Amino acid sequence: MEEFKQKRFFNSKRVEFENDGISYYSGNFLNAKEIFIPFDEIIPDAITRETKTSRLFLWLTITLGFIFGLALWDIFRIPFGIYMVLVFFAGLFSLFFLILTIFSRKHMLYITTFSGYLIGFYDKNPSEEAIEEFLEILKTKTFAYLKEKYAIIDKDLPVEKQIENLNFLKERNVITEKEYEALIEKLKKNNIDVKGFKY
């Protein structure tokens, strides 16, 4: 998978995988944004799920439902013709906005970055399997890039920087404890002449 796309009504989202990160696009017919997010920034395990409901539609539903209820109880003391029109339209619009409220609910999924930016997606869109496959590919590509960049043991590089890199990989669960220990052993062997070697 080199690209992942989502559509919901007039909204669309797209991710394109690149060598060192992802291009993320989100937009509709009113506005759009496209940003590049490097793999160093992405925390693929930091996932948040949320359900969002339109507050406008919800308040309109409540208000019109309240007016409809008052009209049914004949609180307004108005002529019968106006009363029937008020009951009909208040009930009709209350039902209309109730349906809009239900269908406008969005199930969102957010992936966190180190800078605090949230990459937003529609959860289970186009399907639960598709979103899980995308998340797995994102994690695999992110971890592969980080391993290739930071899990380098080189006697010409400063020891402290290499230890810092390995600790970074371990903290992000990119490498296991066993892999970490093996890389530290390799680093010690490569730098056997370095005095005061610590980790």
Side-chain angles (χ1 to χ4, degrees):
M1 179 190 289
E2 294 303 315
E3 189 178 66
F4 178 72
K5 292 181 179 180
Q6 291 185 315
K7 281 195 177 293
R8 187 177 189 274
F9 303 123
F10 300 109
N11 301 294
S12 65
K13 296 179 184 293
R14 184 181 71 248
V15 167
E16 290 178 6
F17 289 101
E18 298 185 23
N19 291 333
D20 53 349
I22 61 170
S23 287
Y24 172 73
Y25 167 88
S26 178
N28 53 43
F29 61 88
L30 292 176
N31 52 53
K33 64 179 175 184
E34 186 166 1
I35 58 170
F36 176 78
I37 305 164
F39 285 130
D40 296 79
E41 275 285 304
I42 298 169
I43 313 173
D45 290 330
I47 294 170
T48 306
R49 285 183 157 94
E50 175 185 53
T51 301
K52 295 173 94 175
T53 303
S54 169
R55 289 183 182 178
L56 174 64
F57 292 161
L58 185 60
W59 278 111
L60 284 169
T61 302
I62 292 168
T63 304
L64 289 164
F66 184 68
I67 293 169
F68 178 66
L70 291 177
L72 278 179
W73 285 95
D74 200 17
I75 299 294
F76 298 113
R77 305 282 180 211
I78 53 178
F80 184 74
I82 298 172
Y83 166 78
M84 289 304 294
V85 170
L86 181 63
V87 168
F88 175 76
F89 281 106
L92 180 68
F93 283 116
S94 177
L95 181 64
F96 173 72
F97 281 108
L98 176 62
I99 292 167
L100 272 182
T101 302
I102 293 167
F103 281 100
S104 69
R105 287 181 60 146
K106 291 187 284 190
H107 300 281
M108 300 298 295
L109 180 146
Y110 297 100
I111 298 169
T112 309
T113 66
F114 268 104
S115 57
Y117 183 77
L118 296 176
I119 314 168
F121 298 96
Y122 302 118
D123 200 8
K124 300 172 185 175
N125 178 321
S127 67
E128 191 172 348
E129 293 77 21
I131 197 82
E132 289 303 325
E133 181 189 357
F134 163 70
L135 292 173
E136 189 57 40
I137 290 169
L138 178 65
K139 183 176 180 177
T140 302
K141 285 182 179 282
T142 301
F143 282 11
Y145 173 83
L146 294 175
K147 270 188 183 180
E148 188 179 332
K149 184 176 180 180
Y150 295 108
I152 298 168
I153 304 301
D154 189 335
K155 62 181 179 181
D156 296 326
L157 292 174
V159 173
E160 294 80 10
K161 182 62 180 171
Q162 292 182 75
I163 292 171
E164 188 182 306
N165 288 343
L166 295 178
N167 287 333
F168 166 76
L169 293 176
K170 184 182 165 190
E171 284 165 15
R172 288 188 63 177
N173 298 317
V174 175
I175 57 174
T176 63
E177 185 70 35
K178 194 174 179 180
E179 287 175 308
Y180 175 78
E181 295 296 337
L183 287 165
I184 288 290
E185 280 303 314
K186 187 176 177 185
L187 183 59
K188 284 167 80 173
K189 284 177 186 173
N190 278 5
N191 295 276
I192 201 151
D193 297 329
V194 177
K195 292 181 180 178
F197 181 92
K198 293 180 182 179
Y199 70 95

